[in-house]
């Protein structure tokens, strides 16, 4: 809960809750009290990423942003932000209408699950199959040593159910016979191995409203419905094209899951995880990923610091001004940049939350990570503070050039020492160290209007020396290291030292 949440209103909306404390809430209560909630606390980034998409879809419905015209959408968007909270009557009416469909263990239509799996699949898997970090298939057993047979609390199971829909791997699942198809092969989920960027406001309400995508870019036909709003079940042999934000945020999945509950209904004691689509999903652009005109969405890399993308976030309305070509940024960033100055002043604290899964398409999870920009976006928008925006671009570019040059000379020295070796044992580790150490320098520099661009090249030289120290003391490496060092300190490309 927000530290500054008015106690009287908090007691009225969530009896017993206190400012600043952590509270378990259902979806209905989370939306009703969104203006009093600081943020979500979710243990796994994949589950958090999908939960934010689910809550955004619900915000679209209860906030009345499910309209087709851009002008109507902007009017409702502005009115919703001005109101400062979701209408509790609208929230209640929506959840009352679909109450049974929000039951995780409903016998006919369990929430976000396919009840057909109980009949169409060969056998039930242990509950640990649901929890991605537990040992299963080819994934790393050291991520979580919990036994496969250990039951999963229902609240935790919801997060993993969502994670499978967005981040499930390709590979083998339960044997499923549906219509004429009998297979256990699964395709990778649509967000597998990607990183998504979400707005993080000073309240959950602000975060969700800013997350709602405008009504453009939807070319699918038919009604825009979430899985729980459909009278029929998804056809795994013919996935429907996206026709609006509900389907985009909640309806795209190549995996189907079904949970088996304990007698008291508080734990998951088994599950089925099987293929949910036999063909590629119809093309759709996720509103939270960085897409590319060529090459598809940007993949997650836990080594990539947020400072390297902050320039793009700031220049979302004109990426070319930051030297960013061929990228399509998350749509909410340009919507945010277009807000009137008085609204931006209220939302001055909005930052960017990155949620990534550094993984392969197959069942191998390397690293899940979450990070939030230390700085807010609004104070650096070119429309508000052009000098600050330019300083962000200049500082980021200086760091990029120093890192690239350092890696280049390290590879040059390595190649001269080991001409037959195509790799370089130095460059990756040195570059990772560079960005770790450059990160605080960057944020500190852009925080002060009079600050100078940090000496990133000096940092690169320090890392170069420490990386090559042992080689430089050997007869074989003395000259290669010296020549590489000289080319770094005296670049011939005409670049200015930073």
């Amino acid at each position: 809960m927000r530290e500054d949440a008015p106690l009287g209103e908090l007691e009225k909306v969530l009896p017993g809750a206190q400012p600043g404390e952590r509270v378990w809430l259902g979806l209905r209560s989370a939306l009703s009290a969104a203006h009093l909630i600081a943020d979500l606390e979710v243990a796994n980034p994949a589950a958090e990423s999908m939960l934010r998409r689910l809550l955004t879809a619900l915000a679209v419905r209860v906030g009345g942003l499910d309209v087709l015209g851009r002008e109507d959408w902007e009017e409702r968007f502005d009115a919703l932000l001005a109101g400062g909270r979701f209408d509790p009557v609208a929230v209640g009416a929506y959840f009352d209408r679909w109450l049974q469909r929000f039951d995780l263990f409903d016998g006919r239509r369990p929430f976000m699950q396919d009840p057909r799996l109980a009949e169409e699949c060969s056998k039930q898997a242990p509950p640990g199959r649901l929890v991605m970090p537990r040992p299963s298939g080819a994934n790393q057993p050291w991520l979580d040593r919990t036994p496969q047979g250990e039951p999963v609390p229902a609240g935790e199971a919801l997060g993993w159910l969502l994670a499978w829909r967005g981040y499930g791997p390709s590979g083998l699942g339960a044997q499923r016979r549906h219509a004429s198809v009998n297979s256990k092969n699964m395709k990778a989920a649509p967000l597998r191995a990607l990183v998504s960027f979400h707005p993080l406001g000073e309240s959950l309400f602000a975060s969700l409203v800013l997350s709602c995508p405008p009504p453009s870019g939807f070319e699918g036909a038919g009604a825009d419905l979430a899985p729980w709003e459909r009278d029929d079940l998804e056809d795994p042999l013919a996935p429907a094209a996206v026709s609006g934000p509900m389907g985009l945020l909640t309806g795209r999945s190549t995996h189907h899951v079904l949970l088996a509950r304990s007698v008291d209904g508080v734990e998951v004691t088994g599950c089925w995880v099987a293929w949910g689509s036999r063909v590629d999903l119809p093309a759709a652009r996720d509103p939270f990923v960085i897409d590319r005109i060529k090459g598809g969405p940007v993949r997650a890399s836990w080594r990539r610091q947020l400072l390297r993308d902050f320039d793009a976030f700031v220049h979302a309305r004109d990426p070319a001004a930051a030297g960013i070509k061929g990228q399509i940024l998350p749509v909410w960033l340009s919507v945010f940049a277009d807000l009137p100055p008085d609204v931006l002043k209220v939302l001055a604290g909005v930052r960017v939350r990155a949620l990534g899964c550094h993984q392969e398409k197959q069942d191998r999870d390397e690293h899940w990570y979450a990070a939030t920009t230390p700085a807010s976006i609004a104070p650096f928008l070119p429309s508000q503070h052009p000098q600050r925006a330019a300083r962000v671009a200049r500082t980021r570019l200086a760091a990029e050039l120093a890192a690239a040059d350092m890696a280049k000379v390290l590879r040059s020295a390595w190649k001269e020492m080991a001409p037959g070796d195509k790799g370089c044992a130095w460059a990756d580790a040195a570059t990772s160290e560079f960005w770790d150490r450059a990160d605080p320098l960057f944020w500190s520099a852009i925080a002060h209007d009079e600050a100078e661009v940090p000496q990133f090249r000096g940092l690169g030289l320090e890392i170069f020396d420490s990386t090559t120290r042992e080689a430089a003391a050997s007869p074989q490496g003395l000259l290669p290291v010296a020549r590489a060092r000289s080319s770094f300190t005296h670049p011939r490309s005409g670049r200015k030292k930073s």
Side-chain angles (χ1 to χ4, degrees):
M1 310 309 298
R2 294 176 59 176
E3 294 280 357
D4 60 350
L7 190 57
E9 186 176 1
L10 193 57
E11 179 64 27
K12 181 180 179 181
V13 178
L14 295 173
Q18 296 295 315
E21 77 170 351
R22 291 162 173 77
V23 182
W24 278 94
L25 295 177
L27 295 174
R28 181 199 299 250
S29 296
L31 288 167
S32 297
H35 58 298
L36 304 172
I37 297 172
D39 195 26
L40 307 173
E41 185 174 286
V42 185
N44 180 269
E48 179 181 340
S49 172
M50 295 304 294
L51 182 58
R52 288 186 184 276
R53 285 173 169 81
L54 171 60
L55 287 169
T56 298
L58 293 170
V60 167
R61 280 287 193 252
V62 303
L65 295 176
D66 47 357
V67 292
L68 296 178
R70 181 64 182 250
E71 187 173 334
D72 290 340
W73 184 88
E74 289 178 349
E75 288 182 2
R76 295 192 182 191
F77 181 87
D78 293 341
L80 192 56
L81 276 179
R85 64 169 299 172
F86 294 116
D87 180 0
V89 175
V91 173
Y94 183 80
F95 279 92
D96 286 344
R97 178 182 179 184
W98 302 107
L99 183 62
Q100 190 171 353
R101 299 279 179 88
F102 279 98
D103 185 345
L104 198 63
F105 300 116
D106 182 72
R108 294 184 63 251
R109 291 292 296 273
F111 182 64
M112 298 293 278
Q113 298 162 68
D114 191 333
R116 296 171 295 192
L117 297 190
E119 298 295 331
E120 295 180 352
C121 291
S122 53
K123 64 178 181 178
Q124 183 183 126
R129 174 62 169 155
L130 182 69
V131 183
M132 291 180 175
R134 291 191 190 179
S136 175
N139 70 359
Q140 297 95 323
W142 55 83
L143 292 178
D144 186 338
R145 295 183 180 275
T146 306
Q148 282 281 293
E150 187 74 21
V152 183
E156 182 183 342
L158 170 62
W160 290 117
L161 164 64
L162 297 175
W164 269 98
R165 290 182 63 85
Y167 293 89
S170 62
L172 301 180
Q175 186 82 30
R176 181 184 188 183
R177 181 188 295 274
H178 180 88
S180 61
V181 176
N182 184 14
S183 175
K184 61 172 63 177
N185 291 317
M186 303 184 297
K187 290 179 172 291
L191 297 175
R192 182 80 181 174
L194 302 184
V195 56
S196 57
F197 302 93
H198 302 260
L200 187 62
E202 295 182 353
S203 71
L204 180 61
F205 169 79
S207 299
L208 294 180
V209 175
L210 291 174
S211 296
C212 295
S216 58
F218 301 118
E219 300 176 355
D224 177 33
L225 300 175
W228 60 87
E229 296 174 335
R230 298 173 52 138
D231 290 332
D232 58 339
L233 292 167
E234 300 171 273
D235 183 353
L237 302 180
V242 168
S243 57
M246 301 302 289
L248 178 66
L249 294 166
T250 65
R252 289 171 55 78
S253 179
T254 55
H255 296 73
H256 281 174
V257 180
L258 179 62
L259 307 178
R261 68 172 188 171
S262 59
V263 176
D264 56 10
V266 299
E267 291 181 325
V268 169
T269 56
C271 66
W272 293 266
V273 179
W275 58 269
S277 175
R278 300 306 303 159
V279 298
D280 292 338
L281 298 178
R285 180 165 290 141
D286 186 273
F288 301 109
V289 305
I290 296 179
D291 206 349
R292 292 175 293 187
I293 295 175
K294 294 183 179 180
V298 173
R299 295 189 61 155
S301 172
W302 66 271
R303 295 184 178 92
R304 186 176 177 87
Q305 299 285 356
L306 272 178
L307 75 88
R308 303 179 69 183
D309 296 306
F310 192 68
D311 192 8
F313 301 155
V314 168
H315 290 90
R317 288 181 61 186
D318 185 14
I324 301 163
K325 299 179 180 179
Q327 288 190 353
I328 303 170
L329 298 172
V331 64
W332 71 266
L333 286 162
S334 57
V335 172
F336 179 79
D338 279 331
L339 292 175
D342 57 329
V343 179
L344 285 173
K345 188 175 181 180
V346 175
L347 298 174
V350 172
R351 296 177 292 161
V352 180
R353 175 83 166 156
L355 299 166
C357 295
H358 187 129
Q359 55 194 180
E360 299 298 327
K361 295 290 185 179
Q362 296 80 22
D363 194 1
R364 287 189 291 273
D365 298 311
E366 295 182 16
H367 196 86
W368 291 338
Y369 64 93
T372 303
T373 57
S376 305
I377 309 171
F380 298 95
L381 292 175
S383 61
Q384 305 299 307
H385 303 283
Q387 295 83 5
R388 291 178 181 174
R391 187 168 72 253
V392 168
R394 188 168 57 250
T395 307
R396 193 269 307 171
L397 180 60
E400 293 280 6
L401 293 178
D405 285 351
M406 180 195 70
K408 180 180 178 180
V409 297
L410 283 170
R411 292 189 183 98
S412 174
W414 183 270
K415 183 177 180 180
E416 190 174 346
M417 291 171 57
D421 193 343
K422 295 183 179 181
C424 176
W426 289 337
D428 287 349
T431 301
S432 180
E433 181 183 353
F434 176 90
W435 286 116
D436 283 344
R437 294 174 61 180
D439 191 66
L441 299 178
F442 174 88
W443 299 113
S444 177
I446 68 169
H448 306 286
D449 289 338
E450 305 302 323
E452 295 183 356
V453 174
Q455 296 296 319
F456 291 119
R457 189 166 290 273
L459 172 61
L461 183 61
E462 181 182 335
I463 295 172
F464 175 92
D465 286 342
S466 64
T467 301
T468 60
R469 182 171 292 114
E470 184 176 343
S474 69
Q476 181 188 14
L478 177 61
L479 287 178
V481 170
R483 280 192 284 264
R485 191 180 195 279
S486 178
S487 67
F488 185 60
T489 55
H490 300 87
R492 299 177 183 177
S493 62
R495 289 178 179 172
K496 294 181 179 180
K497 294 182 180 180
S498 54

